[in-house]
Amino acid sequence: HHNENSRFPSYGTPFVWCTLRLYLDEQLARKRIPTVAMITAAPDELKRRASRLASRLRKACGDKAEIRLARGESRVGGGSFPENALPTTLVRAVPTGCTPECLKQRLLETVPPLIGRLEDHAFLLDPRTLADEELPMAANVIAAALNQA
């Protein structure tokens, strides 16, 4: 006897559909799935976020670091994404009292760790990896790390 339901694949839970709906509804996905929000952030939004972070850092760090904005690329890779580079505005910090390597190490030891990268004798932060509401905290954490010197 032919089962009436066999024409429809069984997906087990409605969870799959919820996830699919989120991905299909891009605006929702941007808000609710952090990685999607990071990857789809617009260059002008990133530049604005970088500027806000840089000005907070200048206030918080004083003469402990030289803070500049730099054009650069976000490194998106691993998992379901092949290595891709997306344009961004980076916040460049050159510490005056310690090496950029030392600053990077200190930030890795914070909870949660603040991840940046080293390039051209500077510690670089990509605003793509930080939400707007995380900027004040990021600035304070960096200032605290620089004050350890």
Side-chain angles (χ1 to χ4, degrees):
H1 175 67
H2 177 68
N3 182 345
E4 196 50 44
N5 291 330
S6 64
R7 285 174 298 157
F8 299 103
S10 166
Y11 286 102
T13 62
F15 174 75
V16 176
W17 291 112
C18 293
T19 309
L20 267 175
R21 270 210 12 245
L22 271 179
Y23 274 103
L24 294 172
D25 185 341
E26 198 186 336
Q27 290 310 310
L28 251 186
R30 282 183 186 197
K31 288 191 186 81
R32 301 222 185 131
I33 305 168
T35 311
V36 175
M38 287 177 185
I39 292 167
T40 58
D44 53 345
E45 183 189 326
L46 293 168
K47 190 171 186 178
R48 181 185 56 79
R49 212 178 288 164
S51 302
R52 286 181 53 195
L53 180 58
S55 65
R56 281 183 178 277
L57 279 171
R58 286 189 193 105
K59 281 192 197 99
C61 303
D63 59 359
K64 298 270 189 207
E66 183 190 302
I67 308 295
R68 288 215 182 121
L69 294 182
R71 290 248 276 295
E73 290 181 334
S74 300
R75 297 192 185 137
V76 181
S80 54
F81 280 93
E83 184 73 25
N84 274 312
L86 301 169
T88 189
T89 302
L90 299 164
V91 177
R92 213 171 163 271
V94 179
T96 52
C98 68
T99 64
E101 289 78 8
C102 173
L103 176 60
K104 182 181 181 184
Q105 192 52 48
R106 284 178 191 168
L107 293 171
L108 282 174
E109 289 160 11
T110 61
V111 180
L114 188 57
I115 315 259
R117 65 185 199 244
L118 300 171
E119 240 168 68
D120 301 326
H121 311 296
F123 176 77
L124 302 178
L125 268 175
D126 186 349
R128 195 184 291 277
T129 63
L130 293 163
D132 274 348
E133 59 272 17
E134 293 172 322
L135 298 181
M137 184 191 72
N140 293 340
V141 167
I142 292 167
L146 287 166
N147 283 325
Q148 286 177 34

